[in-house]
Amino acid sequence: MEIKLKGLSTVFFLTLQVGLLFGDMSYSFPEEMERGSVIGNIAKDLGLDVSKLSTRKARIDAEGNNKRYCDINLADGDILVADRIDREAVCGKRTSCVLRQELVLENPLELHRISLNIIDINDNAPQFKKDRISIEISESAGKGNRFRLDEAHDADIGKNTIQSYMIQDNAHFTIHVNTKSGGGKYCELVLEKELDREKRKEMSIMLTATDGGSPHKSGTVVIHVTVLDANDNAPLFSQAVYRASIPENSPLGTVVTTVQATDADDGLNGEVRYEFDHISEENNVFSLDETTGEVTVTGSIDYEELSTYDIQITAKDGLGLASSCTLLIDIKDVNDNAPIAFIKSLTNPIPENVAVGTEVGIVNVQDRDSEHNRQVRCFIQQDVPFKLVSSINNYYSLVTTSALDRELVSDYNITITATDEGQPPLTSSKSITLSVADVNDNPPVFDEESYSAYVPENNKAGHPVCSVTARDRDWRQNGTVLYSLLPGGEMNSVQVTAYLSVNGETGVVRAQRSFDYEQMRSFKVLVMARDNGSPPLSSNVTVTVFITDVNDNSPQILYPAQEGSSLMTELVPKTAHGGSLVSKVIAVDADSGQNAWLSYHIIKSTDPELFAIGLHSGELKTQRDISESDSMRQNLVVAVRDNGNPVLSATCTMILLVSDNLADVPELKDMSFDENNSKLTTYLIVALASISTFFLTFIIVLLGIRFCRRRKPRMLFDGAVAIPSAYLPPNYADVDGSGTLRSAYNYDAYLTTGSRTSDFKFAQSYNDNTLLADQILVKRPIDFDDAFGDAEGTPEKGLWRPSPV
């Protein structure tokens, strides 16, 4: 491809050579091109998809130095000049000026080398070291003698460097151009006509040096010729080419070599002086002793900047005769550059759920030294879940070696160490910080496996029950915990979630309604803790709520029943002795525990000394034998109290008739009743009186027989009152020893009277003292001892002992 560039009065022809050499792309273009100039399309040349250059992070990196000379246009794949390139500044005298660049693409990692061949343009004119060249020529010089002139210097190379010399027309001299072994050109002044000092002592001739560029550039110098007496011997060097080698970074004052030239003349004509031929960088790096020819180091030498110096040295005698030699100085590489690691790509932060072996970064290591001094090893020193995997040409991939967990380690400080193979080896380090991004991989965890809460009944709605706490090890929204209730079972046909509510943020569980211990004792509910991640994670915990009893139920007296204006009446035989069981007050309490522990107290009675009631049994017994002076009608008011706080109580009124026959009780005639039920009451009284008379007669006969058998006979009227099951509320539990009646605990009574609506009957006990149909009653004296020996004995110590027929 050939491109014609025009600018001002200069026309350049640029030949761009695009080729593939060992996998490299090579582009040739002239120096001094403007920034942004297109030098080729690498996407087309390499067959790359232009649309993917941006996503693959295509970029141009420098190889071996930090300066990039070209860029890539990601839109179309063009290679552009990044900055003005001065071939002379970059490559100096080297005939080939090739800059190494690299095209790097990621995902996957791909590397292409790019060689930029900088073509010299004629941008430097020839230049002489001095504005005037002074030559002294002996008048004895014969025709054809040649006098070496100072060489002009042109920083360009090839045809753009000096191609010819011309001198101003004169009568004595012509110019002869010579080519040196190194490729440079110098000229000699040729004497074509002998000089005559007497005719002309001095003359000035213009010397012009012209390069081969287009257009040509030239430089001039004035040759001042002084005619002297004869000096017919020029200095001669011992060698045409001197060679020396020194290591880079040699200290100042280091002797490189010594050049030597001799002159056969004597005196002033034989004194030799040495000097460098032309202006160059050598003057800043080396110095030449003009009398001894010793070359020493006077500046910094860097192999990476320039590895070879080509120096031209001239020796002149006192009268201007001169000769020249070439000094070649080879610079030896020293391991003076530590490798440098460059982070070309880095994924930061890294999700904690990345797979093992995931590439998270690309590292490039460069060393400016050469050969084995630039061989580099790169590794990670710390114990971290990452490693470097070598890929191509000092590129390394940073990959994960194990699973990451942000909850264990959230940040990694990674030190990348690069060491070269030089002696001694040089090392450099680069530290990077990688953060681990949180992923919602931890569900909330409750502080306890289950929660128990105790709530007193009759609580207010909104009463706090308990507080649940769950913690999530994740971060920010992934670790934000919200609480809610899960639907569960039912209590009393109501979902348990209707009884409670939970604060979604604090986890405080509150009651939605008042609880009744008598309706429910406990229930369970599931509380869910859910985080705010995506997708959300959750866990559940069981909260068991126990309702504690409060003394909110007064004792309920089952017997004697108090209905309307009617009162229960018990008949007590006049022959009853002290300690005889007369009746029993039976009460229950809907509460539980100590709130249902009942105690019985007589708070009012006709004769306080005649009757006593069991504190916890409720059994009403005589305290002494009944005498004739006792009133036939005994009124008692019994209070039943529970053990709660505050204490709740209930009272009942009992009427006890002391008589052996209902007919002898005048008080029965005065009892009030309703007019509508007068006949029924009359029939009931008559029936009760008849039954009582018959029963008492039977008892008296029975007791008489027993009395005859014992020296100390006594009337037995312990028994049980049969309480119909209708008196027991259905929700009262059977509790032994708590004061609440057991449904199987019944009594027989001698006589029961009451209102016309009373529902009492004469029955036998349902306990262990019940006499079966196939058994007969046999009483032994010891039975009576047991019965009368303990005045406070309970019915459970039965007086009747059945024996087989």
Side-chain angles (χ1 to χ4, degrees):
M1 178 172 60
E2 190 172 274
I3 300 175
K4 188 173 182 181
L5 302 177
K6 296 182 179 180
L8 298 179
S9 60
T10 304
V11 179
F12 300 93
F13 289 89
L14 165 67
T15 301
L16 297 181
Q17 298 176 351
V18 181
L20 185 61
L21 180 60
F22 303 110
D24 294 354
M25 294 301 301
S26 178
Y27 295 91
S28 297
F29 59 97
E31 64 176 327
E32 304 292 344
M33 290 185 68
E34 292 183 0
R35 184 176 182 178
S37 299
V38 177
I39 61 176
N41 189 296
I42 196 166
K44 179 179 179 181
D45 298 333
L46 292 177
L48 301 176
D49 188 352
V50 175
S51 63
K52 295 184 179 180
L53 292 180
S54 179
T55 58
R56 295 186 64 184
K57 301 179 182 179
R59 61 183 178 274
I60 301 296
D61 285 343
E63 182 181 32
N65 56 57
N66 295 328
K67 186 172 183 180
R68 291 183 298 106
Y69 292 97
C70 63
D71 282 327
I72 183 171
N73 188 333
L74 299 180
D76 54 18
D78 284 341
I79 298 295
L80 309 175
V81 175
D83 199 359
R84 187 184 70 86
I85 302 175
D86 186 357
R87 192 205 66 81
E88 288 72 28
V90 175
C91 299
K93 295 182 180 180
R94 285 178 287 182
T95 57
S96 174
C97 184
V98 178
L99 303 179
R100 305 294 183 183
Q101 307 280 282
E102 294 176 343
L103 172 63
V104 182
L105 299 99
E106 298 182 13
N107 298 319
L109 179 62
E110 188 175 349
L111 180 67
H112 296 276
R113 295 177 180 173
I114 303 174
S115 297
L116 303 179
N117 184 21
I118 310 303
I119 300 175
D120 181 55
I121 65 174
N122 191 27
D123 59 340
N124 293 282
Q127 182 181 5
F128 289 91
K129 182 171 62 174
K130 300 177 181 178
D131 296 332
R132 177 176 175 176
I133 300 175
S134 297
I135 299 177
E136 297 176 344
I137 302 176
S138 175
E139 62 180 350
S140 62
K143 183 179 178 181
N145 282 354
R146 298 186 179 189
F147 305 94
R148 175 79 175 264
L149 300 178
D150 290 345
E151 182 181 358
H153 176 70
D154 193 332
D156 297 322
I157 63 171
K159 67 178 182 178
N160 292 326
T161 191
I162 298 173
Q163 300 297 320
S164 63
Y165 290 90
M166 296 177 59
I167 63 170
Q168 181 182 358
D169 291 339
N170 62 90
H172 296 278
F173 299 97
T174 61
I175 196 75
H176 180 76
V177 179
N178 297 314
T179 302
K180 298 189 297 184
S181 60
K185 295 180 182 296
Y186 68 93
C187 63
E188 295 177 326
L189 192 62
V190 180
L191 182 61
E192 294 292 334
K193 182 180 179 181
E194 290 81 2
L195 299 174
D196 188 357
R197 183 175 178 276
E198 286 69 23
K199 292 181 179 180
R200 191 174 184 179
K201 295 181 180 180
E202 296 178 351
M203 64 181 68
S204 295
I205 305 171
M206 184 70 69
L207 175 63
T208 302
T210 305
D211 62 21
S214 179
H216 301 297
K217 290 188 177 182
S218 61
T220 61
V221 67
V222 174
I223 302 173
H224 182 78
V225 179
T226 301
V227 181
L228 302 174
D229 289 336
N231 178 29
D232 54 355
N233 290 293
L236 296 176
F237 282 95
S238 60
Q239 298 175 213
V241 177
Y242 290 84
R243 289 185 175 273
S245 63
I246 59 173
E248 64 174 326
N249 298 336
S250 294
L252 301 181
T254 300
V255 177
V256 179
T257 189
T258 300
V259 297
Q260 186 177 11
T262 60
D263 194 316
D265 295 325
D266 293 329
L268 182 62
N269 294 331
E271 293 180 2
V272 179
R273 291 177 290 108
Y274 303 93
E275 61 182 21
F276 292 126
D277 274 3
H278 51 75
I279 301 173
S280 65
E281 292 183 358
E282 290 86 340
N283 300 93
N284 299 323
V285 178
F286 302 101
S287 66
L288 176 63
D289 191 301
E290 66 176 5
T291 59
T292 64
E294 185 179 77
V295 179
T296 58
V297 176
T298 58
S300 176
I301 301 175
D302 191 348
Y303 172 86
E304 287 71 40
E305 294 293 336
L306 191 60
S307 61
T308 302
Y309 289 89
D310 185 350
I311 304 175
Q312 302 296 320
I313 299 177
T314 299
K316 293 182 179 180
D317 60 20
L319 296 180
L321 294 181
S323 64
S324 63
C325 71
T326 301
L327 174 60
L328 298 178
I329 302 176
D330 295 325
I331 308 301
K332 296 180 180 178
D333 184 39
V334 175
N335 190 29
D336 60 341
N337 292 283
I340 302 176
F342 298 92
I343 306 301
K344 296 298 184 179
S345 177
L346 187 64
T347 301
N348 196 11
I350 310 167
E352 62 178 321
N353 61 346
V354 296
V356 175
T358 299
E359 180 182 271
V360 298
I362 297 176
V363 180
N364 175 235
V365 182
Q366 299 180 9
D367 193 318
R368 297 182 61 199
D369 295 319
S370 63
E371 298 180 355
H372 65 280
N373 290 332
R374 69 177 302 170
Q375 300 300 316
V376 179
R377 294 181 297 108
C378 192
F379 54 91
I380 296 175
Q381 292 180 330
Q382 302 102 314
D383 183 16
V384 293
F386 300 93
K387 68 176 180 179
L388 289 174
V389 178
S390 179
S391 53
I392 51 176
N393 194 25
N394 288 339
Y395 275 86
Y396 296 84
S397 295
L398 182 64
V399 299
T400 60
T401 59
S402 61
L404 304 179
D405 191 344
R406 190 206 65 83
E407 288 69 43
L408 295 179
V409 181
S410 60
D411 294 284
Y412 291 94
N413 291 320
I414 301 173
T415 300
I416 299 174
T417 302
T419 303
D420 61 25
E421 299 293 337
Q423 292 298 327
L426 298 180
T427 300
S428 68
S429 299
K430 187 174 186 65
S431 297
I432 59 175
T433 299
L434 287 177
S435 299
V436 181
D438 186 45
V439 174
N440 191 28
D441 56 350
N442 290 283
V445 177
F446 284 94
D447 290 350
E448 300 180 19
E449 293 184 358
S450 62
Y451 291 83
S452 298
Y454 295 85
V455 183
E457 64 175 328
N458 303 326
N459 60 290
K460 294 182 179 180
H463 176 80
V465 174
C466 67
S467 179
V468 298
T469 303
R471 309 180 191 278
D472 196 312
R473 297 175 61 197
D474 292 321
W475 194 43
R476 290 185 176 175
Q477 69 175 19
N478 293 332
T480 302
V481 179
L482 301 175
Y483 304 92
S484 61
L485 296 179
L486 292 178
E490 295 184 352
M491 289 290 294
N492 300 329
S493 300
V494 178
Q495 283 284 338
V496 293
T497 53
Y499 291 102
L500 300 174
S501 66
V502 62
N503 188 303
E505 296 180 355
T506 64
V508 175
V509 180
R510 297 182 181 274
Q512 290 284 82
R513 59 180 66 185
S514 179
F515 300 131
D516 188 354
Y517 176 83
E518 288 71 41
Q519 296 296 323
M520 67 174 74
R521 303 295 176 89
S522 66
F523 62 90
K524 296 181 179 180
V525 67
L526 285 177
V527 177
M528 179 181 71
R530 176 182 60 83
D531 60 29
N532 205 25
S534 179
L537 301 178
S538 63
S539 60
N540 304 331
V541 71
T542 300
V543 177
T544 304
V545 180
F546 296 94
I547 313 302
T548 59
D549 185 44
V550 174
N551 191 30
D552 58 345
N553 292 283
S554 300
Q556 182 177 352
I557 299 176
L558 302 181
Y559 183 83
Q562 308 290 307
E563 298 183 1
S565 60
S566 300
L567 300 175
M568 282 292 183
T569 303
E570 300 284 352
L571 187 63
V572 181
K574 292 181 179 181
T575 57
H577 297 282
S580 298
L581 178 64
V582 174
S583 183
K584 180 176 177 68
V585 176
I586 301 174
V588 293
D589 196 316
D591 295 322
S592 64
Q594 67 177 10
N595 293 330
W597 295 350
L598 303 182
S599 60
Y600 301 85
H601 309 271
I602 298 177
I603 60 176
K604 185 177 180 182
S605 65
T606 302
D607 187 352
E609 298 180 354
L610 182 57
F611 298 99
I613 191 167
L615 180 63
H616 299 295
S617 65
E619 295 178 344
L620 186 64
K621 297 182 179 180
T622 58
Q623 297 189 84
R624 57 178 176 79
D625 295 344
I626 297 177
S627 62
E628 293 295 333
S629 61
D630 292 329
S631 173
M632 295 186 64
R633 175 173 174 156
Q634 296 288 329
N635 295 327
L636 286 84
V637 178
V638 178
V640 182
R641 299 171 182 169
D642 60 24
N643 197 36
N645 184 17
V647 177
L648 301 179
S649 62
T651 60
C652 66
T653 301
M654 301 182 66
I655 300 176
L656 301 179
L657 300 180
V658 181
S659 175
D660 292 331
N661 194 331
L662 289 177
D664 298 334
V665 183
E667 286 80 356
L668 292 177
K669 301 177 183 180
D670 299 331
M671 292 184 180
S672 61
F673 57 90
D674 296 337
E675 291 297 331
N676 296 332
N677 298 326
S678 60
K679 292 184 179 181
L680 179 60
T681 303
T682 301
Y683 295 150
L684 180 60
I685 293 175
V686 172
L688 290 175
S690 301
I691 295 173
S692 299
T693 302
F694 175 77
F695 182 71
L696 289 174
T697 302
F698 173 77
I699 293 299
I700 292 172
V701 174
L702 180 61
L703 292 177
I705 296 174
R706 294 292 183 182
F707 184 78
C708 293
R709 295 180 181 180
R710 296 177 60 88
R711 294 182 179 180
K712 296 180 180 180
R714 62 187 294 185
M715 184 72 67
L716 299 180
F717 30 100
D718 294 319
V721 179
I723 305 301
S725 61
Y727 283 99
L728 294 174
N731 59 337
Y732 285 87
D734 295 339
V735 181
D736 291 335
S738 65
T740 301
L741 178 66
R742 290 196 312 165
S743 59
Y745 194 77
N746 304 317
Y747 291 86
D748 290 335
Y750 289 115
L751 178 66
T752 300
T753 61
S755 68
R756 296 143 190 83
T757 60
S758 297
D759 187 20
F760 299 104
K761 64 181 178 181
F762 298 99
Q764 292 179 336
S765 173
Y766 296 120
N767 58 22
D768 294 338
N769 295 327
T770 303
L771 187 64
L772 303 178
D774 57 350
Q775 295 177 332
I776 61 174
L777 182 64
V778 178
K779 285 293 180 179
R780 294 171 295 181
I782 190 173
D783 298 332
F784 289 91
D785 292 341
D786 294 339
F788 293 98
D790 186 4
E792 293 297 324
T794 60
E796 281 76 11
K797 299 179 181 180
L799 301 180
W800 304 97
R801 299 175 184 262
S803 61
V805 178

